[in-house]
Amino acid sequence: MKKFEGYDTAKTFGDFERLELGGHIIKILEANVQTITTKDGETFDRLNLKIDMADNDKQAGFFARKFAKDAEQDEMNAKWKGNFSITIPQDGSPDTSKSAFKTFTTSLEKSNPGYTFNWEEKQLPGKVLGGVFGLEEFENQNGEVICFSKCKFVRSTEKIEEVQPPKVKLVDGNLMDYKEYCEKKKAERESSKNDTTTESSNSKFVGDNDDLPF
């Protein structure tokens, strides 16, 4: 055999840090309000937060490390993966939307003693929150099911790290228990290893190694 160029610096599979799903203490790095126009021509405002794990979290700086590693591989296409967005309700918005936003603002106040929410997004950077991370599926243009992790909910920081991973949102909109989902995907992967004669693009599972614990 002949030693190939780049062998000494090549990374091995599994040489990465997984995001532990469930509750984390997160820190807001940036905040902005974006006006979204729907296909029907209606508009609404959305609050977008750039987040990372706070200094006192068990995985402090996780998204910064992930971005740096992704940039090493492909600087032009590396994207910041720590994000959370929430719709800003309008007069007449559904009560569920109003309750979700009120949960967000009260969680901010409980997590940052002395702070009172004042509708100024420019004052949000530096604030901490409790973030609950889970899995979600979507189908890409090739019909492949993609699984990714995201901050699905926010809560106060009180006992947030004791919160377990939420149910997984499937591509069909249904929810599945996290542990049940992991077992199902593990079985599918084992089955695909044993069956090399057939392949269906519609049942193909694609996901980041960060997402699933196997």
Side-chain angles (χ1 to χ4, degrees), residues 64-77:
R65 290 192 296 277
K66 182 170 180 57
F67 179 78
K69 181 167 290 188
D70 290 346
E72 286 181 3
Q73 302 296 322
D74 188 350
E75 184 176 1
M76 297 298 295
N77 294 310

Side-chain angles (χ1 to χ4, degrees), residues 61-128:
F62 172 83
F63 289 113
R65 290 192 296 277
K66 182 170 180 57
F67 179 78
K69 181 167 290 188
D70 290 346
E72 286 181 3
Q73 302 296 322
D74 188 350
E75 184 176 1
M76 297 298 295
N77 294 310
K79 295 181 180 179
W80 187 272
K81 301 294 180 63
N83 302 286
F84 178 76
S85 297
I86 186 169
T87 298
I88 303 173
Q90 306 174 33
D91 295 341
S93 292
D95 288 344
T96 52
S97 178
K98 294 177 180 178
S99 294
F101 196 80
K102 188 63 177 293
T103 298
F104 166 72
T105 59
T106 54
S107 296
L108 268 173
E109 293 176 340
K110 290 179 180 179
S111 303
N112 299 273
Y115 169 73
T116 301
F117 182 73
N118 58 5
W119 302 93
E120 290 288 343
E121 67 271 15
K122 292 181 180 179
Q123 294 187 11
L124 294 179
K127 302 295 187 295
V128 295

Side-chain angles (χ1 to χ4, degrees), residues 102-173:
K102 188 63 177 293
T103 298
F104 166 72
T105 59
T106 54
S107 296
L108 268 173
E109 293 176 340
K110 290 179 180 179
S111 303
N112 299 273
Y115 169 73
T116 301
F117 182 73
N118 58 5
W119 302 93
E120 290 288 343
E121 67 271 15
K122 292 181 180 179
Q123 294 187 11
L124 294 179
K127 302 295 187 295
V128 295
L129 267 173
V132 182
F133 290 78
L135 298 178
E136 189 167 316
E137 291 184 341
F138 76 93
E139 187 174 319
N140 68 12
Q141 295 179 344
N142 297 323
E144 298 169 332
V145 176
I146 309 298
C147 180
F148 64 100
S149 56
K150 64 181 292 188
C151 182
K152 299 178 69 67
F153 314 106
V154 292
R155 299 288 185 267
S156 72
T157 54
E158 185 179 5
K159 297 183 179 180
I160 187 63
E161 292 182 296
E162 298 177 8
V163 176
Q164 297 300 305
K167 291 185 177 181
V168 181
K169 184 177 181 181
L170 305 180
V171 70
D172 60 6

Side-chain angles (χ1 to χ4, degrees), residues 168-184:
V168 181
K169 184 177 181 181
L170 305 180
V171 70
D172 60 6
N174 291 321
L175 299 175
M176 180 181 287
D177 179 78
Y178 171 70
K179 291 184 179 179
E180 181 182 351
Y181 181 82
C182 290
E183 290 299 320
K184 177 176 179 290

